[in-house]
Amino acid sequence: MTKKIVEKFNELRHKDKIVILGIETSCDETATAVVENGRILHSNVILSQIPLHQKFGGVVPEVASRNHILAINGVIDKALKQAQMQAKDLDAIAVTYGAGLIGALLVGVSTAKAIGYALKIPLIKVNHIEAHVCANFIAHKDLTPPFLCVAASGGHTSLIAVDEHNTYNSLGGTVDDAIGEAFDKVARLLGLPYPGGPEIDKLAKKGAANIDFYKTPKSINKDLRLSYSGLKTAVVNYVNSAKMAGREIVIEDICASFTKQAVDLLVDTTMFAAKERGDKVIALAGGVAANTYLRNRLQEETQKAEMDFFVPSLDLCTDNAAMVASRAYFSILAGTDLAGLDLNAKSNVKVGEGR
Ligand code: KG4
Ligand code: ZN
């Protein structure tokens, strides 16, 4: 990292207006966005590869990397165009470096390095799960830490204490499958297209949550450890034994019952943690935050407990680059996460890692 870039990075936080280009390629969305001061969205471009992966029933990493390469330059141009800006208007570039699919991440990381180098602007590395939390700052201009965030996606299920803008601590989460992964696997078992979460959400609305697949523990795990692999296996066993016995299965009821059990576990654990810690504000983030039952239940529970509840709009819940640019803004203010040309992609990154 050159001295000049470090100087530029340190001067940035004193500017009134910081414009950041965000890049996100950790999974199957090639996304770019231009965000000002972490909260003002100038553009948000998301090119989803879902149709390409659907025929395989899930994301094929090689196909994802290849298509990110094909798409990345076009979506960067589009983000600048939509923002009515030019490269010279950018103060910094932010990129998701982990967690995610390594080949997919590398496309974003390499592109961001090249742009940072060419424009001589700071490159900020962003943790994907922390970025999900920041979608809330774009959606809710009045939200400020401290708050407890439930980050629920295809790769993560974490309870995160956001004590300050740059202080993230994981309090607990899943010890096996992520909640979104469980949604996707159950959907696949039921013959629903990828990604399964939105499909199960739709069908659950027409079904009755009357199937008890799994005896979930009656008391909350006080270490805030969650598990989804047992529930997933219980659904598999239920479906297989019904098929073998020639019993009719009602997909809508399975979707409603699975959703209820998966979401209740997350919501009950979250409310337990928030009450123990004395949190007054709860935020929801990640792709599974798009789930209707989850949004409604957290809304109801927080209302009962007289807490404030924040959740981003649907397009900011699933993967996007606006959240990446937002996260980077707060790193700039705190003087952390400046990356050099030796930045590498990482498939696994913990919340708060490297700070
Ligand atoms: O955050 P995200 O876009 O990517 C990751 O970082 O993983 O989350 C994708 C996950 C998938 O598992 C998808 O099935 C799930 O979010 N998802 C949903 C809904 N919309 C997306 N799960 C349940 N209900 C939904 N409405
Ligand atoms: Zn994500």
Side-chain angles (χ1 to χ4, degrees):
M1 203 177 312
T2 64
K3 217 172 129 197
K4 224 160 174 182
I5 277 291
V6 177
E7 272 170 20
K8 260 196 183 172
F9 174 70
N10 287 326
E11 280 161 16
L12 260 188
R13 81 183 73 125
H14 305 293
K15 279 188 74 183
D16 292 338
K17 178 177 167 183
I18 305 177
V19 176
I20 302 176
L21 172 73
I23 298 182
E24 158 63 45
T25 62
S26 68
C27 191
D28 57 352
E29 262 95 29
T30 321
T32 53
V34 177
V35 178
E36 179 184 331
N37 291 356
R39 298 206 188 241
I40 305 166
L41 197 55
H42 286 281
S43 62
N44 191 21
V45 180
I46 303 169
L47 185 71
S48 175
Q49 297 182 7
I50 287 173
L52 294 173
H53 298 281
Q54 245 165 4
K55 58 176 175 282
F56 304 106
V59 178
V60 183
E62 264 313 306
V63 174
S65 322
R66 195 175 288 269
N67 282 283
H68 284 312
I69 294 174
L70 296 175
I72 190 79
N73 289 339
V75 295
I76 290 171
D77 285 346
K78 205 165 169 186
L80 286 172
K81 213 170 181 177
Q82 274 183 12
Q84 297 183 313
M85 287 191 197
Q86 293 173 356
K88 67 173 175 45
D89 300 316
L90 301 173
D91 294 303
I93 180 138
V95 66
T96 301
Y97 77 104
L101 302 170
I102 201 80
L105 287 163
L106 273 171
V107 178
V109 168
S110 315
T111 309
K113 280 190 212 175
I115 296 175
Y117 181 72
L119 298 178
K120 300 185 175 54
I121 55 175
L123 169 67
I124 317 296
K125 60 177 180 147
V126 172
N127 175 322
H128 182 78
I129 202 76
E130 294 180 9
H132 270 301
V133 176
C134 292
N136 278 289
F137 296 131
I138 300 167
H140 307 286
K141 311 290 179 220
D142 50 338
L143 174 65
T144 49
F147 60 86
L148 177 68
C149 186
V150 187
S153 71
H156 299 86
T157 314
S158 310
L159 293 180
I160 302 170
V162 185
D163 292 329
E164 286 175 45
H165 269 302
N166 211 41
T167 312
Y168 289 66
N169 285 303
S170 176
L171 304 172
T174 185
V175 291
D176 41 53
D177 291 0
I179 184 168
E181 192 181 343
F183 267 95
D184 293 339
K185 284 180 179 162
V186 166
R188 194 170 176 165
L189 168 80
L190 297 175
L192 302 172
Y194 176 84
E199 298 293 326
I200 290 187
D201 194 357
K202 258 186 264 162
L203 293 172
K205 288 174 189 157
K206 297 181 206 148
N210 56 2
I211 308 167
D212 211 1
F213 298 115
Y214 183 57
K215 295 281 166 251
T216 35
K218 286 286 165 254
S219 59
I220 301 294
N221 183 310
K222 296 203 165 63
D223 294 334
L224 308 179
R225 285 155 62 95
L226 301 167
S227 164
Y228 282 104
S229 87
L231 174 59
K232 177 195 69 192
T233 309
V235 181
V236 173
N237 291 342
Y238 172 87
V239 172
N240 288 344
S241 33
K243 276 186 187 161
M244 274 194 295
R247 275 194 309 272
E248 191 204 357
I249 57 162
V250 183
I251 289 192
E252 289 82 356
D253 292 351
I254 295 175
C255 291
S257 306
F258 164 74
T259 301
K260 180 166 172 16
Q261 289 194 36
V263 168
D264 284 352
L265 175 66
L266 185 59
V267 172
D268 294 346
T269 308
T270 303
M271 292 311 294
F272 169 82
K275 285 174 189 166
E276 285 280 295
R277 284 168 33 89
D279 283 300
K280 292 274 163 280
V281 182
I282 294 184
L284 182 57
V288 183
N291 184 266
T292 316
Y293 179 66
L294 174 58
R295 292 166 88 97
N296 290 345
R297 256 221 79 197
L298 263 181
Q299 176 77 59
E300 278 165 27
E301 293 302 324
T302 47
Q303 203 167 341
K304 267 192 248 164
E306 297 186 344
M307 294 172 188
D308 286 330
F309 175 57
F310 293 89
V311 60
S313 54
L314 293 187
D315 56 331
L316 288 172
C317 284
T318 43
D319 286 349
N320 65 85
M323 65 186 197
V324 176
S326 173
R327 179 65 192 94
Y329 170 75
F330 296 105
S331 293
I332 290 171
L333 294 191
T336 63
D337 300 298
L338 175 64
L341 293 177
D342 56 350
L343 175 66
N344 209 347
K346 276 190 86 176
S347 55
N348 263 312
V349 186
K350 293 195 176 71
V351 166
E353 186 174 312
R355 226 169 281 122

